[in-house]
Amino acid sequence: MTRTTRRRVLPTTEELRVWRGFIETTEAVRAELGARLQAECGLSPGDYAVLLALSEAEGQRLRSSQLADDIGWERSRLSHHLGRMEKRGLIRREECRTDNRGAEVVLTAEGSAAFRGATVPHLTAVRELFVDALTPEQVTAAGEIAAALRAKLG
């Protein structure tokens, strides 16, 4: 096998340049979205993720373990975050109606109002920072790239 027919094990310099650009830009967009969400609505990105998941759930309630899976967090991280959200009145924790072994996280009226109040400013920022920066073809390509990466991760 010649050097040119062997599969390269490490990324090329150009591939690494693209990778770094992707990671750095993604982090910059996420940081700006988070800063705007906090400044405009008083919610952290974590708060918004929890409130979004609960607002979409049947009965606006989820078992803690399901919520952790839905937002991609470790259960211990979620537990600490829920404690802070509960103190602010955004959520409450109740015994599970169908299983005494677990707890359910329930969206409160205050949490629902906070989520509704944050949705338009947050989606406006998403449009400004992501959608408007790209052509329609690039938005489609970004979706395809994200799907390919998720598929590779399993």
Side-chain angles (χ1 to χ4, degrees), residues 92-112:
R92 70 178 179 276
R93 290 184 264 197
E94 298 178 352
E95 287 185 21
C96 184
R97 296 186 219 172
T98 58
D99 181 356
N100 293 342
R101 296 175 293 153
E104 289 183 315
V105 182
V106 181
L107 184 63
T108 64
E110 294 86 355
S112 183

Side-chain angles (χ1 to χ4, degrees), residues 17 29 32 74 82 87 91 106-107 117 120 126 135 143:
R17 184 192 64 73
V29 169
E32 181 62 21
E74 296 293 325
L82 291 177
K87 286 179 185 172
I91 58 101
V106 181
L107 184 63
V120 170
V126 168
T135 66

Side-chain angles (χ1 to χ4, degrees), residues 133-150:
L134 304 173
T135 66
E137 295 79 16
Q138 289 170 324
V139 171
T140 299
E144 291 168 353
I145 290 166
L149 292 172
R150 274 193 308 275

Side-chain angles (χ1 to χ4, degrees), residues 49-62 70 107 115:
V50 168
L51 295 175
L52 173 62
L54 290 173
S55 73
E56 294 177 338
E58 185 175 330
Q60 297 186 320
R61 61 177 53 236
L62 286 169
D70 287 356
L107 184 63
F115 177 72

Side-chain angles (χ1 to χ4, degrees), residues 33 36-41 48 114-129:
L33 284 171
R36 288 186 187 193
L37 190 61
Q38 186 70 51
E40 295 173 9
C41 307
Y48 192 84
F115 177 72
R116 283 191 315 273
T119 296
V120 170
H122 181 62
L123 295 179
T124 299
V126 168
R127 169 157 293 285
E128 179 186 329
L129 297 171

Side-chain angles (χ1 to χ4, degrees), residues 11-58:
T12 66
T13 301
E14 178 62 12
E15 289 166 339
L16 286 173
R17 184 192 64 73
V18 171
W19 167 248
R20 275 190 71 176
F22 174 78
I23 293 301
E24 291 167 2
T25 302
T26 300
E27 289 302 316
V29 169
R30 287 175 54 119
E32 181 62 21
L33 284 171
R36 288 186 187 193
L37 190 61
Q38 186 70 51
E40 295 173 9
C41 307
L43 295 175
S44 70
D47 294 338
Y48 192 84
V50 168
L51 295 175
L52 173 62
L54 290 173
S55 73
E56 294 177 338
E58 185 175 330

